[in-house]
Amino acid sequence: MSARGARSTPGPWSRLKPVNVDLLEVIGLPSKGDNRLLDYKTQERYYTKIVERYMAFCSDAGKADELLRRLGQLSISTENGKTQQPPPSSTPGMRPSNIDSSLDAAGQKDLAIIMMAMRKLREGIVASSRVDNFSIQAYIFCIRLSILVKNMESYQPAILHLLKRMHAILPLSKAELQEFVGYLVLDLACRQNDLAEAYVVRQKYRLHDAKVDAILQALAHDNYFMFWKIRRSVDGHKAKLMEFAEEGITKQALKCLGRSYLSIDLPALEEYTNSTWYSLTKVHGVGWQLEGTKVVIRKPKTR
């Protein structure tokens, strides 16, 4: 006779599927009390998982243009898992009609998880006071990716920590120093609109970058023609930082054209503003009249 309580587990319970645990999500923030990322080996394994997830994200995007589009459209405003879509692109040829604004939900989630995981890793590296080749490599990866998604909450403090703390203990190579000082200078000039501080940082670190110098000059003189010319020639990271200044440059170009011309050819207007006619009317609220290929800015006063 069988004893009470010796009955086997009901069938349905034994058929439950095991829960899939995502290492990037299961580990918490060190600032919230999770100390697992204070261990060096755990940091290295965690970083490997971040890179693997990012490579899978890139592989899923396929072509380089599609990857850049996804990164550009999925601009992360915070690091708490919430995403904010940027305004419609004003770049010629990128009208809403040929942009798939509804990103793949899985891709959105993956990038948000990656960004949050990088924050956890940075906190672990800082809390453990780690400064070595691995920590610098991890910071460089975080900064570059954060710039591509225009997440200033991630890349700006990370650049400062890299230059002020890490570089002082374990100097960066000359190429790395020039690269990240250039990013800091562009962030100050384009996003924070602080040209004076940008020139101070440029002088402090003895930055020698012709493209960055030209961007500063264009911003200082409101030279929209030079700004767009450089914008088309710089690498993807510098271009992303320049995007913060695009709205102001476009407005300045429209003001100058509005004061100087009665009419202008549409191709010239789109070149000087780096915007399509659709974007100028729908996003920037331009009220000028389009007559064929000519834009009438204002009509001469009749005497």
Side-chain angles (χ1 to χ4, degrees):
M1 183 174 178
S2 60
R4 290 185 180 183
R7 284 182 287 181
S8 61
T9 306
W13 289 101
S14 63
R15 292 195 297 269
L16 287 176
K17 294 181 179 179
V19 178
N20 292 326
V21 178
D22 188 342
L23 179 62
L24 297 187
E25 293 187 274
V26 73
I27 292 182
L29 289 164
S31 59
K32 301 297 183 180
D34 193 326
N35 295 326
R36 282 175 286 182
L37 281 175
L38 300 185
D39 178 71
Y40 285 9
K41 291 296 183 181
T42 304
Q43 291 174 6
E44 292 165 12
R45 288 194 297 268
Y46 197 71
Y47 173 71
T48 300
K49 290 293 183 182
I50 292 174
V51 174
E52 288 176 355
R53 182 68 63 86
Y54 177 65
M55 294 305 293
F57 175 82
C58 295
S59 177
D60 182 61
K63 296 181 180 180
D65 290 344
E66 173 65 11
L67 174 60
L68 291 176
R69 184 186 71 80
R70 288 193 179 196
L71 291 172
Q73 289 290 309
L74 217 164
S75 180
I76 308 294
S77 60
T78 62
E79 290 191 311
N80 59 4
K82 297 180 180 179
T83 60
Q84 176 179 346
Q85 296 293 339
S89 172
S90 61
T91 305
M94 295 290 284
R95 301 185 183 188
S97 59
N98 57 26
I99 291 182
D100 180 13
S101 58
S102 58
L103 288 173
D104 178 73
Q108 264 190 337
K109 182 180 179 181
D110 278 345
L111 190 54
I113 290 173
I114 291 170
M115 297 303 298
M116 188 61 175
M118 291 196 303
R119 175 185 170 185
K120 296 173 185 177
L121 179 60
R122 292 197 313 272
E123 284 194 7
I125 290 173
V126 172
S128 62
S129 302
R130 183 173 187 176
V131 179
D132 56 10
N133 289 327
F134 165 78
S135 60
I136 290 177
Q137 176 186 344
Y139 257 73
I140 286 175
F141 176 83
C142 293
I143 292 168
R144 287 173 176 164
L145 179 54
S146 299
I147 288 175
L148 289 178
V149 297
K150 296 175 68 176
N151 188 347
M152 71 286 291
E153 295 94 342
S154 293
Y155 72 71
Q156 200 260 354
I159 291 176
L160 293 177
H161 184 76
L162 179 68
L163 295 177
K164 295 184 176 181
R165 167 69 176 169
M166 292 179 159
H167 177 61
I169 298 174
L170 184 61
L172 301 170
S173 69
K174 184 177 180 181
E176 290 171 341
L177 182 62
Q178 292 286 299
E179 177 185 355
F180 292 99
V181 170
Y183 295 158
L184 179 58
V185 169
L186 289 181
D187 181 69
L188 287 165
C190 298
R191 183 180 67 85
Q192 301 183 49
N193 196 27
D194 192 345
L195 275 174
E197 185 63 22
Y199 275 106
V200 168
V201 172
R202 172 182 172 273
Q203 183 66 25
K204 175 183 177 181
Y205 289 98
R206 299 179 181 180
L207 176 64
H208 299 288
D209 189 319
K211 294 288 179 65
V212 172
D213 290 346
I215 294 167
L216 294 179
Q217 184 179 356
L219 291 172
H221 296 280
D222 290 327
N223 190 333
Y224 53 85
F225 184 82
M226 180 186 291
F227 182 88
W228 298 126
K229 182 179 179 181
I230 302 166
R231 170 71 171 75
R232 290 187 286 268
S233 67
V234 296
D235 61 62
H237 296 87
K238 288 187 175 70
K240 278 295 178 182
L241 292 170
M242 291 180 72
E243 285 182 9
F244 288 109
E246 287 185 1
E247 184 177 357
I249 286 290
T250 299
K251 289 181 178 179
Q252 181 63 26
L254 291 172
K255 287 180 182 179
C256 292
L257 296 173
R259 294 169 182 169
S260 306
Y261 295 93
L262 296 176
S263 63
I264 187 173
D265 291 335
L266 178 60
L269 175 63
E270 291 184 334
E271 179 184 357
Y272 296 153
T273 59
N274 199 50
S275 305
T276 61
W277 176 249
Y278 180 93
S279 177
L280 290 173
T281 55
K282 300 299 182 181
V283 178
H284 297 283
V286 172
W288 303 337
Q289 299 298 315
L290 179 62
E291 297 179 358
T293 60
K294 185 176 73 171
V295 178
V296 178
I297 298 175
R298 52 194 168 90
K299 296 182 178 181
K301 296 180 181 179
T302 57
R303 295 183 179 180

